[in-house]
């Protein structure tokens, strides 16, 4: 029994999961989402009436179940590595979310990792509702297939971070500081992708979320394949002192996409105005089954000795660094990259150099503050000047004496 408000630590989580490792049939399925909170199950069910996205009844139909309302972010971030260390599992990463008749060898313990589509792609509650409903169908479809084949299994449904946090005024700011500190501390949950030619590492690439959407329907999450399992083929990447190309090639993706290649084209040039070399990300190209899409990138640049970092990069207008479609095929793609960091030149010791961020020093908020301060300062100066111009009479009326007469000339 867990009391309200208790957050399960990493040690407690390992104790709770021990029965799943000691049972006779050791088939474990991990459904991993980007965000999830216990309140989502009631909020979306009550807010949208008959559109309840949680139609799956696997929790009620299972012989035993456990619901943990709140789990520490550190525990969930390292859950996959913990599961791999807990036993001699046969790890299977499922990227095709429309999978059916999955091949499972029951003679060995199996660990199936299913990366569900992220919810951050939705800009409002309705799109988030549809994403949750689609993930619920994926869970039901895969578990029903295993049940019909008589395969016993255990399921873990969790997320990397919570979707809702407390808004009580007395704890909001303290909790916000703790979450930001935890995020900064645990941000490198996996190492960056590095491209090595010969004995030297010439390209480093990292993102906390790397996703695409094809034809506004098929969502492709490449984060796990790029950084965790490292299934991306980088053999076509090229490096030189002036031009660098990071090529990421994927095969066997969901949505009927047999082949997908993403290229990041960077250049290193000398600019006389600043008297130094600058590295720029000139364009991003997507090649999908012989279809070519190209995006221009106008704002991603950094000194050649630095790496480049940006919180949000993609095709949306609200992102600080935007990918602008340059042909008709590019308009059919949506790109979402969060916490991008890339370096294509002067990589030392296989580590990122100091990062130049995409947010400039003078942001719109700073300009608004400066303009407002100047206006208020001018009003204050004008008021003081007018007060200093006020003069008083040099003579005053005495009530006991005769009336004081002040000629107009004075």
């Amino acid at each position: 029994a867990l009391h309200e408000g208790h957050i399960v630590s990493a040690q407690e989580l390992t104790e709770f999961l021990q029965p799943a490792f000691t049972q006779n049939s050791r088939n474990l399925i991990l459904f991993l989402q980007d965000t999830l909170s216990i309140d989502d199950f009631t909020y979306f069910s009550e807010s949208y009436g008959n559109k309840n996205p949680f139609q799956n009844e696997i929790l009620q139909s299972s012989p035993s179940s456990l619901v943990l309302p709140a789990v520490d972010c550190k525990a969930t971030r390292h859950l996959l590595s913990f599961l791999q260390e807990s036993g001699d599992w046969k790890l299977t990463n499922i990227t095709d979310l429309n999978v059916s008749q999955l091949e499972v060898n029951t003679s060995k313990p199996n660990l199936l990792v299913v990366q569900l589509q992220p919810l951050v792609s939705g800009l409002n509650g309705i799109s988030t509702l549809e994403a949750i409903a689609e993930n619920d169908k994926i869970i039901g479809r895969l578990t029903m297939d295993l049940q019909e084949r008589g395969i016993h299994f255990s399921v873990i449904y969790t997320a990397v971070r919570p979707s809702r946090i407390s808004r009580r005024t007395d704890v909001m700011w303290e909790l916000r500081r703790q979450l930001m500190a935890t995020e900064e501390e645990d941000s490198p949950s996996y190492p960056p992708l590095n491209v090595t030619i010969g004995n030297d590492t010439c390209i480093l690439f990292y993102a906390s979320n790397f996703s695409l959407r094809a034809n506004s329907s098929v969502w492709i999450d490449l984060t796990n394949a790029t950084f965790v399992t490292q299934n991306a083929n980088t053999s076509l990447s090229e490096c030189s002192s002036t031009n660098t190309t990071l090529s990421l090639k994927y095969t066997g993706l969901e949505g009927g996409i047999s082949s997908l290649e993403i290229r990041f084209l960077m250049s290193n040039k000398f600019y006389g105005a600043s008297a130094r070399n600058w590295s720029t990300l000139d364009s991003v190209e997507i090649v999908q089954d012989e279809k070519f899409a190209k995006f221009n990138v106008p704002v991603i640049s950094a000194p050649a000795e630095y790496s480049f970092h940006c919180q949000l990069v993609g095709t949306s207008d609200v992102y600080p660094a935007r990918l602008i479609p340059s042909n008709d095929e590019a308009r059919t793609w949506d790109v979402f990259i969060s916490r991008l960091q890339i370096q294509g030149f002067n990589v030392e010791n296989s580590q990122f150099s100091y990062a130049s961020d995409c947010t400039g020093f003078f942001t719109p908020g700073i300009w608004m503050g400066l303009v407002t301060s100047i206006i208020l300062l001018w009003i204050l100066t004008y008021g003081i000047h007018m007060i200093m111009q006020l003069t008083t009479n040099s003579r005053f009326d005495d009530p006991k004496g005769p009336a004081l007469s002040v000629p107009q000339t004075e």
Side-chain angles (χ1 to χ4, degrees), residues 46-342:
E46 297 174 357
S47 300
Y48 299 97
N50 57 359
K51 293 185 179 180
N52 182 8
F54 302 102
Q55 302 290 338
N56 197 342
E57 298 182 355
I58 184 174
L59 189 66
Q60 291 78 10
S61 61
S62 61
S64 62
S65 62
L66 174 65
V67 178
L68 302 177
V71 181
D72 188 10
C73 292
K74 288 185 178 181
T76 55
R77 286 178 186 270
H78 300 89
L79 179 59
L80 179 58
S81 59
F82 164 72
L83 293 177
Q84 291 180 278
E85 296 172 357
S86 62
D88 187 18
W89 301 95
K90 178 186 176 183
L91 178 63
T92 303
N93 289 282
I94 301 177
T95 57
D96 185 4
L97 298 181
N98 297 319
V99 64
S100 60
Q101 295 296 325
L102 178 67
E103 295 295 333
V104 178
N105 185 5
T106 56
S107 61
K108 297 181 180 180
N110 295 279
L111 174 58
L112 310 178
V113 180
V114 183
Q115 290 279 350
L116 300 175
Q117 63 178 348
L119 307 184
V120 294
S121 59
L123 298 179
N124 51 54
I126 299 299
S127 56
T128 302
L129 175 74
E130 294 173 352
I132 290 181
E134 183 62 28
N135 288 343
D136 186 72
K137 293 178 182 178
I138 294 170
I139 296 174
R141 185 165 56 245
L142 181 58
T143 54
M144 185 62 66
D145 178 55
L146 296 178
Q147 285 179 344
E148 292 176 352
R149 294 158 60 183
I151 299 177
H152 299 282
F153 58 89
S154 299
V155 173
I156 299 177
Y157 180 30
T158 186
V160 178
R161 59 184 182 273
S163 60
R164 303 171 186 275
I165 61 174
S166 172
R167 294 299 178 189
R168 286 170 47 196
T169 57
D170 57 338
V171 300
M172 181 176 62
W173 291 108
E174 180 180 358
L175 181 57
R176 178 175 175 83
R177 289 194 297 268
Q178 292 175 355
L179 289 176
M180 293 177 64
T182 302
E183 184 178 358
E184 288 296 327
E185 180 181 353
D186 298 337
S187 57
S189 56
Y190 42 76
L193 175 72
N194 63 78
V195 177
T196 302
I197 297 180
N199 296 325
D200 298 327
T201 300
C202 59
I203 304 176
L204 290 175
F205 174 62
Y206 175 84
S208 62
N209 193 328
F210 183 26
S211 304
L212 308 175
R213 179 183 289 172
N215 299 318
S216 300
S217 58
V218 181
W219 186 266
I220 308 171
D221 189 356
L222 301 175
T223 310
N224 185 67
T226 306
F227 304 104
V228 181
T229 60
Q230 297 185 354
N231 293 331
N233 186 355
T234 61
S235 59
L236 299 179
S237 301
E238 299 177 355
C239 294
S240 70
S241 59
T242 56
N243 293 282
T244 296
T245 300
L246 170 61
S247 174
L248 305 173
K249 193 169 185 178
Y250 308 87
T251 56
L253 299 175
E254 63 270 16
I257 299 177
S258 59
S259 176
L260 178 66
E261 183 183 3
I262 304 175
R263 304 171 187 155
F264 296 84
L265 282 73
M266 295 170 282
S267 62
N268 181 12
K269 298 179 181 179
F270 178 82
Y271 292 87
S274 60
R276 68 183 308 171
N277 284 62
W278 287 75
S279 63
T280 59
L281 178 59
D282 300 321
S283 62
V284 176
E285 300 175 351
I286 300 177
V287 182
Q288 182 254 318
D289 298 336
E290 299 182 356
K291 296 180 181 179
F292 177 78
K294 183 177 180 179
F295 300 87
N296 293 327
V297 188
V299 298
I300 295 185
S301 62
E305 300 83 9
Y306 294 173
S307 63
F308 177 83
H309 174 270
C310 195
Q311 191 69 18
L312 290 174
V313 178
T315 52
S316 175
D317 296 337
V318 300
Y319 295 161
R322 188 187 173 204
L323 306 182
I324 302 176
S326 63
N327 60 3
D328 294 336
E329 185 64 30
R331 294 180 176 86
T332 63
W333 288 90
D334 293 325
V335 182
F336 174 77
I337 308 176
S338 65
R339 302 192 65 181
L340 167 72
Q341 188 168 0
I342 188 170

Side-chain angles (χ1 to χ4, degrees), residues 1 348 365:
E348 297 181 359

Side-chain angles (χ1 to χ4, degrees), residues 33-48:
Q33 203 164 268
D34 60 338
T35 61
L36 183 68
S37 292
I38 192 68
D39 295 338
D40 293 339
F41 292 91
T42 55
Y43 171 76
F44 289 104
S45 300
E46 297 174 357
S47 300
Y48 299 97

